[in-house]
């Protein structure tokens, strides 16, 4: 069934039935080490997760890891003799397959839950990035980015402990959908003529990008955010948009978001309008508030009034900026986890959100926090909350005791940095 990889036989597949994940006690979980620092952080992540699962369930649950390939590792594993010169002459699909093999897509689809390190954007034209490729091929329409503060992490803000956000970023639409035309393309000229025939004004030398925001795409994203907020007993879901300017894309996202909230979650939610109209501004017990905010003021308010935010649902571009800005509040990119999910098919890919930091490759130096926290989201997705909490607890213990890698150590006084491997071990030690 697979071309070059063999799934392990000492574990079972995670499956999905009627939208509910069925997780055996010994699930097989594929992992992609990634490029650059990917193997360093993966080598720290796997034993740490194993230790958390062992400690939480005393040996009754265990992950069977399944190595799959993507990025440079895939190219050398599947095409050891292919030169760069030969590769760039091949059709775009083949170029992409060299870095993102069919085996890998098949395994992610079949085993449902995968974790991956960062990937280099490879040479060649025609496809933008492997991460985008994985998201598009598997229709992983939600990017979930939880952002929370761990005491002792160096930060530039005064009240970092107030930051506890989860950003639901739409992953498949917006200006990221790849409908773009160079200012010199013949299609650009046709488009300009069409737009002018509709009475629109546009400069001749414009590059053009199209921003599709669909009803179905917006609703499934907001639905996922509200379901998450209800399950986790979060107080508020905020729809973040720039609908005052882009009425039929960003504004429509907001309207469709409220429609989902009222049509599908009527008994669970109160909108901000209803809060003032029907409840005199006093939030009724046990309900979820659904409100909306303009994107630009949200950037100010997550900084100045962090505690007012809990779950944010937004489109691709806003979500991209907002996720990194929020991560900066609590110590930066080395600590920011993420996961890409299709809630209908159940396919889930947890990932470190930083890049491959190539200058630190194989130095056992960088912070594995982002991948460890991504593993914590993965464990939570499996319903293994106890193991997930142990990772949070261990990480908190390591940081507060100043057992940290170089990136955090350099922002603290008199702290000697420890290695990636040692950090993983410190996390395990502080689980107790
Ligand atoms: P990057 O790899 O994230 O590295 C930028 C800087 O961030 C590093 O030099 C380092 O800062 C710091 N950093 C990143 N990860 C860290 C970690 N785990 N621990 C401590 N510090 C960390 O960004 P880039 O240099 O722009 O991108 C390099 C490659 O990664 C590119 O090919 C890009 O396409 C790819 N990329 C992949 C992903 C992904 O797979 N999800 C995401 C972004 C970028 P200092 O040098 O100051 O120590």
């Amino acid at each position: 069934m697979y071309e070059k990889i063999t799934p392990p036989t000492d574990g079972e597949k995670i499956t999905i039935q009627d939208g509910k994940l069925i997780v055996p006690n010994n699930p097989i979980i594929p992992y992609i080490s990634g490029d650059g620092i990917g193997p360093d952080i993966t080598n720290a992540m796997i034993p740490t997760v194993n230790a958390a699962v062992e400690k939480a369930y005393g040996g009754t649950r265990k992950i069977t890891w399944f190595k799959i390939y993507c990025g440079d590792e895939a190219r050398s594993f599947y095409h050891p003799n292919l030169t760069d010169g030969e590769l760039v002459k091949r059709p775009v699909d083949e170029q992409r397959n060299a870095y993102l093999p069919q085996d890998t897509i098949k395994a992610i689809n079949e085993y449902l839950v995968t974790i991956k390190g960062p990937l280099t954007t490879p040479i060649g034209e025609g496809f933008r990035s492997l991460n985008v490729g994985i998201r598009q091929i598997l229709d992983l329409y939600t990017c979930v980015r939880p952002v929370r503060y761990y005491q002792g992490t160096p930060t530039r803000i005064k009240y970092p402990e107030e930051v506890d956000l989860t950003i639901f970023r739409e992953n498949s639409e917006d200006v990221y959908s790849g409908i773009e035309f160079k200012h010199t393309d013949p299609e650009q000229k046709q488009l300009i003529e069409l737009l002018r025939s509709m009475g629109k004004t546009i400069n001749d030398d414009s590059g053009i990008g199209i921003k599709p925001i669909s009803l179905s795409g917006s609703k499934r994203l907001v639905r996922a955010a509200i379901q998450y907020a209800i399950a986790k007993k979060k107080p508020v879901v905020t729809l973040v948009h720039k609908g005052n300017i882009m009425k039929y894309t960003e504004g429509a996202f907001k309207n469709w978001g409220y429609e989902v909230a009222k049509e599908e979650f009527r008994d669970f939610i109160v909108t901000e309008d209803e809060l003032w109209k029907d409840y005199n501004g006093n939030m009724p017990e046990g309900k979820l508030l659904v409100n909306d905010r303009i994107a630009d003021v949200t950037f100010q308010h997550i900084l100045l009034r962090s505690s007012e935010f809990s779950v944010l649902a937004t489109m691709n571009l806003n979500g991209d900026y907002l996720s990194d800005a929020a991560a900066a509040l609590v110590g930066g990119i080395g600590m920011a986890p993420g996961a890409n999910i299709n809630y209908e098919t159940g396919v889930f890919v947890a990932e470190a959100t930083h890049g491959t930091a190539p200058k630190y490759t194989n130095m056992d130096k960088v912070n594995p926090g982002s991948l460890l926290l991504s593993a914590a989201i993965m464990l939570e997705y499996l319903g293994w909350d106890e193991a997930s909490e142990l990772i949070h607890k261990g990480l908190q213990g390591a940081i507060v005791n100043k057992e940290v890698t170089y990136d955090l150590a350099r922002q603290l006084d008199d702290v000697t940095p420890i290695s990636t491997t040692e950090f993983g071990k410190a996390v395990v030690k502080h689980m107790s």
Side-chain angles (χ1 to χ4, degrees), residues 135-300:
R135 287 173 206 157
Q136 283 181 345
I137 294 168
L138 296 158
D139 191 23
L140 304 178
Y141 61 84
T142 309
C143 176
V144 179
R145 295 271 300 261
V147 182
R148 101 182 200 196
Y149 180 66
Y150 293 88
Q151 202 195 337
T153 312
T155 165
R156 296 297 172 105
I157 66 166
K158 217 168 170 182
Y159 304 106
E161 63 285 352
E162 289 185 359
V163 180
D164 184 5
L165 315 172
T166 308
I167 298 167
F168 276 66
R169 164 187 170 195
E170 207 290 326
N171 239 351
S172 65
E173 302 196 314
D174 207 340
V175 283
Y176 287 56
S177 61
I179 313 173
E180 254 198 316
F181 302 93
K182 208 167 164 178
H183 71 288
T184 52
D185 282 351
E187 293 90 343
Q188 179 264 18
K189 302 227 167 339
Q190 284 175 292
L191 262 175
I192 287 191
E193 276 164 29
L194 179 69
L195 290 169
R196 285 187 179 145
S197 74
M198 295 172 174
K200 306 290 179 191
T201 306
I202 181 166
N203 288 336
D204 279 328
D205 52 358
S206 306
I208 301 177
I210 307 248
K211 178 184 174 77
I213 303 288
S214 71
L215 179 149
S216 51
S218 303
K219 283 195 166 180
R220 67 181 181 171
L221 186 274
V222 176
R223 183 178 300 120
I226 295 179
Q227 277 166 344
Y228 172 91
I230 292 170
K232 303 279 174 202
K233 299 191 169 33
K234 300 282 184 186
V236 51
V237 171
T238 303
L239 309 170
V240 181
H241 61 90
K242 193 78 186 151
N244 52 333
I245 306 294
M246 292 169 272
K247 295 194 191 316
Y248 304 121
T249 50
E250 304 247 344
F253 173 87
K254 173 193 76 171
N255 296 338
W256 292 326
Y258 278 123
E259 271 176 35
V260 173
K262 289 195 231 172
E263 287 167 8
E264 300 181 23
F265 300 95
R266 186 60 280 179
D267 293 343
F268 298 91
I269 66 104
V270 170
T271 66
E272 197 165 31
D273 279 353
E274 293 163 350
L275 177 66
W276 292 102
K277 191 161 58 75
D278 303 334
Y279 298 96
N280 206 20
N282 300 311
M283 195 59 198
E285 184 95 7
K287 299 272 180 175
L288 170 71
L289 176 66
V290 177
N291 62 10
D292 75 277
R293 294 288 180 269
I294 301 287
D296 41 41
V297 85
T298 306
F299 277 91
Q300 277 197 35

